[in-house]
Amino acid sequence: MKVFQDLSIAGPAVALDRLPELLAGAAVPPWSRDRAAEERSRDVGAGSDFLVFVRAADGGMPAANLFLSRDANAWTVSNIVPVENGSLGEETYNRILREFERLLAPVAGANDLQVNVSQADVGVNDMLSDSAAKLLPIFSASANTATGSAHPMDFRRWAAFLVQVHRDGTTLYASDLRRLLVEELRWPEDTASKLLLEYEFARDLLKVYDEA
């Protein structure tokens, strides 16, 4: 399934310190650095390690703001949002991100920086451990998609998946599980929604159990 890609920039601290000015110097139309937006963000507590680049509209691409934030080890694209109201779909978001990656490439290459971009398409095996990735399709193939985990045998298979995800310590958001169920495994929305409620309850319950 299509997902929003992530981009991070790692490398020597000195090069990371210089990256804001290096990128500003490399930015060419339709890209530019928005220092005024950075100042406004600092005024509301965003901190100094925060950059804003604007991608002007052209050729069917909407105008968008790309935000970067820094921690001790890397700069990361934290979001890309349209200048106008609304939101970007995965395809447009990723196109803008990859275009920014191309803008960044010469700067990274000349300063010993590593640019890492996540996958645009992911499936069950990308989001779960090997064990959990086997258990979810087993449940899905065996269960009645109209009743979810209502049958005792279906519940046992579903519970086995829930326990395995907990044991793995996997960070699997309910929104991502919904997309796996609906887009990858073809569950109807209403039944998938019920399974998500069970998933969130089980994760919370097992966490409390571990802490008891």
Side-chain angles (χ1 to χ4, degrees):
M1 66 184 184
K2 296 288 186 182
V3 296
F4 295 104
Q5 291 178 274
D6 297 319
L7 184 150
S8 63
I9 308 154
V14 172
L16 293 175
D17 291 342
R18 296 180 58 217
L19 187 64
E21 297 308 320
L22 292 171
L23 275 177
V28 294
W31 288 92
S32 61
R33 183 178 175 185
D34 192 342
R35 297 177 188 270
E38 292 170 10
E39 288 298 327
R40 291 193 297 271
S41 298
R42 292 186 186 103
D43 290 341
V44 295
S48 59
D49 291 333
F50 187 79
L51 302 176
V52 182
F53 282 84
V54 179
R55 201 282 182 196
D58 72 349
M61 191 86 80
N65 293 320
L66 182 146
F67 300 91
L68 294 112
S69 58
R70 183 183 173 182
D71 59 22
N73 302 310
W75 285 94
T76 302
V77 173
S78 53
N79 206 355
I80 305 174
V81 298
V83 171
E84 302 296 332
N85 292 335
S87 60
L88 300 173
E90 289 93 342
E91 183 176 352
T92 302
Y93 183 104
N94 292 343
R95 282 177 62 197
I96 295 173
L97 186 78
R98 291 193 298 270
E99 187 178 281
F100 182 74
E101 179 191 9
R102 292 193 292 272
L103 175 73
L104 171 64
V107 172
N111 292 274
D112 197 26
L113 293 167
Q114 296 81 49
V115 180
N116 299 300
V117 180
S118 64
Q119 299 179 82
D121 293 277
V122 300
V124 173
N125 292 321
D126 299 303
M127 305 180 76
L128 299 167
S129 70
D130 290 344
S131 296
K134 292 176 183 176
L135 290 170
L136 182 59
I138 289 173
F139 160 72
S140 181
S142 304
N144 183 332
T145 57
T147 58
S149 64
H151 189 280
M153 292 302 295
D154 293 336
F155 173 76
R156 289 185 66 85
R157 298 184 187 99
W158 176 236
F161 166 72
L162 297 176
V163 171
Q164 187 63 54
V165 171
H166 175 72
R167 286 175 175 165
D168 295 335
T170 302
T171 302
L172 177 66
Y173 298 108
S175 58
D176 291 329
L177 178 58
R178 185 201 69 78
R179 294 191 65 192
L180 286 176
L181 289 169
V182 174
E183 297 178 24
E184 295 286 308
L185 300 173
R186 304 302 180 186
W187 280 74
E189 286 275 4
D190 56 344
T191 316
S193 295
K194 295 175 183 177
L195 291 174
L196 294 180
L197 291 175
E198 295 175 8
Y199 171 78
E200 291 181 313
F201 177 77
R203 294 300 301 261
D204 289 341
L205 179 64
L206 291 168
K207 181 179 178 181
V208 171
Y209 174 81
D210 285 346
E211 294 171 350

